[in-house]
Amino acid sequence: MSQTQTSTAGTKPGRTLSIIGAVLGVLALVVLPIVLGPIGAVLGFVAHSKGDKPFGLYVGIGSIVTTIVGMALGAALVMGMG
């Protein structure tokens, strides 16, 4: 007997990881960018490897970008206060 994986109609494997990674990437703009951004990037790249081809890659790259932007915003905020 062979096992087959069934998925919800219209969803790709790894889509949930992509969505969670995207949410973490957006949160990285304002909250803990050094923590949430890399987690979002890893989730995006794992989703990409699981078959969520274009979106997972975009989430991974976007999370890296939002990490850098979030760190820059935090640094600008700290420098402006001092």
Side-chain angles (χ1 to χ4, degrees):
M1 213 184 317
S2 67
Q3 288 184 336
T4 58
Q5 287 184 324
T6 58
S7 64
T8 306
T11 61
K12 297 178 183 176
R15 179 55 59 121
T16 303
L17 294 175
S18 292
I19 292 171
I20 294 170
V23 169
L24 291 176
V26 170
L27 284 175
L29 283 171
V30 291
V31 181
L32 295 172
I34 197 70
V35 175
L36 298 180
I39 294 171
V42 168
L43 288 176
F45 292 132
V46 168
H48 176 73
S49 70
K50 287 188 175 239
D52 197 10
K53 289 297 179 193
F55 189 58
L57 181 64
Y58 299 151
V59 168
I61 294 170
S63 291
I64 292 170
V65 170
T66 57
T67 300
I68 294 168
V69 171
M71 289 171 51
L73 287 174
L77 183 65
V78 168
M79 294 299 225
M81 295 177 113

